[in-house]
Amino acid sequence: MPKKVAAFDLGTNSFHLLTAFIDEQKQEVRIERRRREFVFLGRELQGEPPSFSEAGMERAVETLRQLMKEAQQAGAQVFLAYGTEAFRRAANASILIETFRQELGLEVRLLSGAEEARLIHEGVKNGLLLPEEPYLVMDIGGGSVEFIWGQGGEIKYLFSVPLGVTLLQQQYPEPDPLSPSIVEAIQAQIQETLSGHLRTIPRETIHHLIGTSGTFKTIARLVAHHSGDSSAAQTVHGYRFGPMLFYPVYQKLLTLPLSARLQLKGMQAERAPLLPYGAILIHEVLRLFPIQTITISDYALREGIVYDYAQQLFDLPALSEKPLRERTIQALGEKYQISSTHAELARKWAEELFDLLRPLHQLGNVEREWLAYAAYLHDIGHFINPSGHHKHGLYILLNSPMPGFSSEELLLMANLVRYHRKSLPSSEHYHYSALPRSQKKLIGLLAPLLRLSDLMAKYLQHAPTNLTATIKDTQVELSIPTPNASAVRHLPSIYAEVQDFFERSYNRRLVLQLAWVPAVSS
């Protein structure tokens, strides 16, 4: 039976709970739910050495009690809890950890900065397709900031520095908005703190910045709203943007008072007082590295805790051997109980038709992959209701954790699922209208192939073999060998679903020749 694991990330500003299934037999991890509660435990770290206040500790115990209760109600069998920078700094952290043990029965382990950075990278690499080129992962917490220089999914160098947003706010509390002199002082402190580490990293080779944490996600939403990307503002995992889109948001965060920052679209009220400090951190990294792309990861420490537990205690090599995107697609299909037989057939037909028609659509392997994944998941909406399952499928894809896929890819694949049957794409459909023109064209080229793939898998019930395509100026003729002698009777139904869509997209009429061939006996 799968084990249900609850992972607790006890941070300076917030406590996080994540529950996940770890299936040893199937060698997979399936994230179930996430929960975050603001505690602001580090805000009251005072004195020398700094200590948690009584009120802060009471708040922490009560918050963790509620999260523990939720995890238990969800059926968690294993509890993994880790304290980070605030616990590393507080002189009385051991008292709070002992209180957790006695009152809640929860053992909390204190992470070193290096361990925290390693686990963050473990989470990120199981949530994103990491570039082969050198990259920098940056996790902005309340007490510390973790940096990981990686390449090809492997850690080259990592470190943790006490530059968290709560710590910076305590050191530079006035005024609001921050004065230019205070901003310069913060920048100087960041540069001085990072200087020793920067000598180890080949800065000129790093063009990719991967940001985790609530600070990065909130800034990404602000960027998305500022640039008019409403879909990305809702789902920021995998969202990518360039530094030039960050700078206007940076200027707003540094020049607007708190009351005005709270009015910004995408702003999270609890983060508004701290966000200028996080923005300065990001700005300094962009000054120090030739970053071209910023990518947001919703996967970080809490996910890293779960994946590390799975790999270390259950010895699951397939977690790293099976490609991340394949794991994601198959896990989602299993969760929503799709028919794997039909899904695999539809995928094979989609790949075959894509290859046959390359001279027409002239698309590449990435587009082939999107079509294949959409074909595998096209019936996922049946889990909600067979009626309108194409619309339900779009909803599931846009509202499910999909590690390995960017928000742009998810929106495109969701639209493919949406148009695998029934109505054609229309500007009146919200999620289609949100696509840029180039991706609307992609939907037009790929969705008819997905429709045809679904119908071939449904009516022929076998994989494609020896297909040929004859492409002319006015029509495309597909010759399809099949041992299904009665398949020809389904042609009117197939044409009714596909013909107009195909002709509109390819400016050619689709002609299907179903050629009967005897089945090969085994």
Side-chain angles (χ1 to χ4, degrees), residues 25-287:
Q25 184 176 3
K26 294 182 179 179
Q27 298 191 327
E28 69 178 25
V29 173
R30 189 169 75 244
I31 304 297
E32 287 294 302
R33 67 176 71 179
R34 297 178 174 90
R35 172 80 179 277
R36 180 208 60 230
E37 289 292 336
F38 284 102
V39 182
F40 298 111
L41 185 59
R43 187 168 58 189
E44 298 169 23
L45 268 173
Q46 296 176 347
E48 190 55 46
S51 299
F52 294 134
S53 68
E54 288 295 329
M57 289 197 291
E58 291 176 6
R59 196 165 58 247
V61 171
E62 185 56 33
T63 300
L64 192 52
R65 189 191 310 278
Q66 294 302 317
L67 293 177
M68 278 282 292
K69 181 179 179 181
E70 182 173 326
Q72 291 165 343
Q73 290 175 340
Q77 304 153 286
V78 178
F79 299 85
L80 308 169
Y82 294 84
T84 57
E85 174 64 18
F87 288 84
R88 293 195 287 267
R89 292 178 58 223
N92 59 348
S94 60
I95 297 174
L96 181 55
I97 290 174
E98 179 62 19
T99 304
F100 289 151
R101 187 183 70 81
Q102 291 186 0
E103 294 196 19
L104 307 179
L106 183 65
E107 297 287 344
V108 175
R109 176 185 166 192
L110 182 59
L111 286 175
S112 69
E115 288 176 311
E116 184 178 353
R118 182 187 68 81
L119 289 173
I120 288 168
H121 185 266
E122 189 67 31
V124 170
K125 79 175 187 180
N126 281 284
L128 289 176
L129 273 183
L130 294 174
E132 288 299 320
E133 302 85 6
Y135 56 84
L136 185 69
V137 176
M138 180 181 179
D139 183 282
I140 302 175
S144 64
V145 181
E146 280 65 49
F147 291 91
I148 305 99
W149 161 37
Q151 185 168 357
E154 299 296 325
I155 295 174
K156 299 295 183 181
Y157 182 71
L158 54 78
F159 62 97
S160 176
V161 288
L163 289 172
V165 290
T166 297
L167 198 56
L168 290 176
Q169 186 192 46
Q170 289 171 340
Q171 294 171 336
Y172 304 95
E174 300 293 342
D176 181 54
L178 297 172
S179 67
S181 61
I182 291 293
V183 172
E184 289 178 7
I186 296 172
Q187 291 171 335
Q189 179 177 334
I190 293 169
Q191 292 170 18
E192 181 181 356
T193 305
L194 296 181
S195 60
H197 298 286
L198 295 179
R199 287 192 287 269
T200 306
I201 301 174
R203 286 189 284 161
E204 68 282 354
T205 69
I206 296 178
H207 305 294
H208 301 276
L209 175 63
I210 298 170
T212 75
S213 75
T215 294
F216 264 108
K217 288 188 286 185
T218 303
I219 286 179
R221 292 189 181 96
L222 295 176
V223 168
H225 279 293
H226 182 80
S227 58
D229 193 344
S230 57
S231 61
Q234 298 175 28
T235 307
V236 296
H237 178 67
Y239 180 48
R240 297 187 297 263
F241 56 94
M244 295 307 295
L245 290 179
F246 165 76
Y247 293 130
V249 171
Y250 173 73
Q251 290 299 324
K252 286 184 178 181
L253 293 174
L254 262 62
T255 56
L256 295 177
L258 177 59
S259 58
R261 295 201 300 274
L262 286 167
Q263 303 304 313
L264 295 174
K265 286 187 177 180
M267 178 60 75
Q268 190 174 17
E270 294 87 350
R271 298 197 185 278
L274 299 168
L275 211 57
Y277 302 93
I280 294 172
L281 281 161
I282 297 170
H283 184 265
E284 287 309 293
V285 169
L286 296 180
R287 286 176 61 178

Side-chain angles (χ1 to χ4, degrees), residues 18 21 31 61 94 109 212 317 372 389 405 442 475 509:
L18 179 143
F21 279 109
I31 304 297
V61 171
S94 60
R109 176 185 166 192
T212 75
H389 70 267
F405 294 94
L442 265 182
Q475 71 178 35
R509 192 149 189 81

